[in-house]
Amino acid sequence: MRDRAKNVVCETCHAPLATLTDPTERVIDEGVTCEACHAIRDVGENAAEPRYTFDLAANRKFGPYCDGKDNYFHRMGCAPWFRDARLCGGCHTFSMPLADGKSLPIINEYAEWRASSFSVSGTACQDCHMPPEVDHAATGSARKVRLGQHGFMGEKGDLVRKALVIVASATTRAGKLVVSVELKNEGAGHAVPSGLPGRQVVVRVQALDEKGRAQAREERTIGRVLVDEAGREVPFYAARAEKIDERIAAGEARTFAFELDAPKAGSLVIDVAWRSMSPALSEALGVPVEERSMGKIEMPFGGHRSGKGREHLPKTVVARP
Ligand code: HEC
Ligand code: HEC
Ligand code: HEC
Ligand code: HEC
């Protein structure tokens, strides 16, 4: 993507040390590595778009604690604002200039967070993305009660499962299975799916018969679609406009309606998945689509066999992360 995108400098955020150190330094290729955050000495206070000041020459590492002692490898700085969202905001804010002088937001988590109730309640990016752990910061140092977990997407990479509350209701009408699925974004401090435009959330509904064979299925997809002059979905660097933004803002909910030809008895399976990119972008970039589960509901229906837990409709099931 970097080679194809000739109009934007990608390194500012993806390899922030590129312009700051000797070009032969191997640390540059590590991208958003330890130094990229821990050498930040200051972030502008008025944080519509925070600006970073790095302190590489003094070899000082900054972090939220101020009791660190200099060691043989590096000196210690003091930066309590490492727990503020503005530390993340500068890189997690990115718009592309357009020919007509306007700009197209690409990465927008920080602005979305600022517009959400999470910024009012003081829940920073770190509170969700770097939850506290009790551990040593380094061998020989004192145990800290709060050492941010550095997985960023959860220790097991499963933070996507915490984003949505799923409420599924099903009933029958004229022989059809009528299903409503509500997705509530209660777990993310920004729109879902967040991140790179083209990410998607897919809601799949299937009616299985008693042997577990799919008899009917339907799906809906939401996300953000950026297009070129011809209206085709393209990677962000080639985009000229936003065609659709159907993402679910923080604290908001979206309802999807389905109608399936259903067997008399069986089970209804509702599957919500995160997708790394739309099929159109996957084709344009030649990169496979990756999927992760965001939650699942199974609802048996019909055939009154109480021992097996079969149930009659209508029914509502709520899945919380
Ligand atoms: C994207 C930014 C970012 C990157 C990259 C990053 N950190 Fe951190 N680090 C933080 C933040 C933010 C905190 C404070 C978290 C909190 O307490 O809520 C932190 C805390 C720490 C602490 C505890 C600070 C203290 O004073 O004891 C250590 C140690 C640390 N990081 C080491 C590392 C190392 C080593 C790497 C590379 C392997 C790394 N970090 C990469 C942002 C980052
Ligand atoms: C120096 C710029 C920079 C800073 C500061 C920064 N990020 Fe990032 N972050 C990035 C870039 C670039 C990526 C995309 C990296 C990639 O996928 O190659 C990223 C990716 C992420 C991801 C997705 C990771 C994944 O595994 O998919 C999360 C979550 C994230 N950042 C959270 C944070 C948080 C929280 C902070 C503040 C503590 C922060 N970032 C600070 C540049 C930054
Ligand atoms: C209330 C918890 C919460 C807060 C606050 C929060 N996030 Fe997230 N974030 C999530 C969850 C849950 C996901 C997974 C859902 C998704 O990918 O949209 C996520 C996903 C992400 C991703 C992944 C994008 C991708 O697809 O790789 C990035 C980047 C990110 N957040 C950055 C931030 C930044 C920057 C902030 C602060 C400005 C922030 N988040 C605040 C919970 C939170
Ligand atoms: C102002 C900062 C900034 C600039 C400039 C920037 N990016 Fe990013 N980019 C980010 C952040 C932050 C993320 C993480 C959000 C996410 O995971 O979706 C990201 C994510 C990405 C991802 C998704 C990575 C993944 O793991 O899925 C790709 C690909 C990407 N950027 C490509 C580029 C290219 C190519 C350029 C230059 C044309 C560029 N970016 C310029 C901040 C930036």
Side-chain angles (χ1 to χ4, degrees), residues 1-2 5 9-10 13-14 91-94 107 195-196 199 236:
M1 288 175 76
R2 182 177 56 183
V9 180
C10 317
C13 307
H14 285 273
C91 291
H92 286 265
T93 303
F94 174 39
I107 304 265
L196 202 67
R199 298 258 203 263
F236 74 87

Side-chain angles (χ1 to χ4, degrees), residues 12-14 16 32 36-37 40 52 54 82 87-88 91-92 125-126 129-130 151-153 199:
T12 327
C13 307
H14 285 273
V32 188
C37 287
I40 296 174
Y52 302 113
F54 286 89
F82 252 65
L87 171 69
C88 323
C91 291
H92 286 265
C125 322
Q126 290 86 329
H129 288 280
M130 308 185 76
F152 289 96
M153 285 307 282
R199 298 258 203 263

Side-chain angles (χ1 to χ4, degrees), residues 32-38 63-67 76 82-83 87 126 130 137-138 144 146-148 150 152:
V32 188
T33 188
C34 321
E35 285 283 274
C37 287
H38 288 287
Y65 291 103
C66 294
D67 59 352
M76 295 299 300
F82 252 65
R83 289 183 176 149
L87 171 69
Q126 290 86 329
M130 308 185 76
K144 298 260 156 71
R146 176 173 171 176
L147 204 66
H150 278 57
F152 289 96

Side-chain angles (χ1 to χ4, degrees), residues 62-93:
F62 296 85
Y65 291 103
C66 294
D67 59 352
K69 294 187 181 61
D70 294 352
N71 56 60
Y72 73 92
F73 194 67
H74 60 72
R75 297 165 65 197
M76 295 299 300
C78 158
W81 45 265
F82 252 65
R83 289 183 176 149
D84 295 354
R86 69 193 157 104
L87 171 69
C88 323
C91 291
H92 286 265
T93 303

Side-chain angles (χ1 to χ4, degrees), residues 41-312:
R41 175 165 58 90
D42 195 19
V43 183
E45 184 64 58
N46 188 6
E49 241 182 80
R51 295 265 171 248
Y52 302 113
T53 316
F54 286 89
D55 185 352
L56 292 170
N59 192 23
R60 247 188 312 175
K61 307 292 175 246
F62 296 85
Y65 291 103
C66 294
D67 59 352
K69 294 187 181 61
D70 294 352
N71 56 60
Y72 73 92
F73 194 67
H74 60 72
R75 297 165 65 197
M76 295 299 300
C78 158
W81 45 265
F82 252 65
R83 289 183 176 149
D84 295 354
R86 69 193 157 104
L87 171 69
C88 323
C91 291
H92 286 265
T93 303
F94 174 39
S95 293
M96 258 202 351
L98 295 177
D100 61 5
K102 296 202 183 106
S103 70
L104 183 62
I106 306 294
I107 304 265
N108 217 21
E109 290 102 22
Y110 185 57
E112 289 164 6
W113 174 83
R114 275 164 60 98
S116 79
S117 66
F118 291 95
S119 73
V120 180
S121 66
T123 307
C125 322
Q126 290 86 329
D127 293 313
C128 298
H129 288 280
M130 308 185 76
E133 281 187 337
V134 180
D135 211 336
H136 301 270
T139 309
S141 71
R143 268 157 80 90
K144 298 260 156 71
V145 284
R146 176 173 171 176
L147 204 66
Q149 212 277 329
H150 278 57
F152 289 96
M153 285 307 282
E155 193 174 359
K156 300 191 189 79
D158 56 355
L159 190 69
V160 282
R161 297 189 68 96
K162 302 217 170 110
L164 302 172
V165 173
I166 308 167
V167 184
S169 306
T171 187
T172 45
R173 197 186 300 142
K176 299 242 186 199
L177 205 51
V178 179
V179 185
S180 135
V181 180
E182 187 187 27
L183 302 184
K184 296 188 196 173
N185 176 2
E186 291 186 6
H190 39 68
V192 172
S194 60
L196 202 67
R199 298 258 203 263
Q200 294 187 325
V201 170
V202 189
V203 187
R204 288 199 189 91
V205 176
Q206 288 188 77
L208 311 182
D209 65 15
E210 287 182 298
K211 296 211 165 86
R213 291 171 304 209
Q215 298 298 317
R217 69 174 79 203
E218 261 191 61
E219 68 174 50
R220 306 262 193 285
T221 303
I222 55 166
R224 203 171 158 230
V225 179
L226 302 185
V227 292
D228 63 9
E229 285 97 346
R232 280 177 309 226
E233 182 174 11
V234 286
F236 74 87
Y237 57 79
R240 294 294 168 267
E242 175 184 277
K243 186 179 171 199
I244 301 170
D245 184 359
E246 290 179 323
R247 297 171 309 147
I248 310 169
E252 288 189 0
R254 186 77 40 79
T255 305
F256 304 84
F258 302 87
E259 233 184 74
L260 304 173
D261 285 317
K264 289 218 160 48
S267 85
L268 180 66
V269 180
I270 294 137
D271 222 318
V272 181
W274 175 95
R275 230 185 225 167
S276 60
M277 65 183 88
S278 65
L281 284 189
S282 157
E283 194 166 312
L285 293 166
V287 176
V289 177
E290 189 197 326
E291 264 197 30
R292 284 179 219 158
S293 173
M294 299 182 89
K296 189 172 177 175
I297 289 179
E298 275 195 61
M299 225 193 271
F301 62 88
H304 188 73
R305 279 182 281 155
S306 53
K308 281 196 156 185
R310 297 226 163 257
E311 291 154 273
H312 290 297

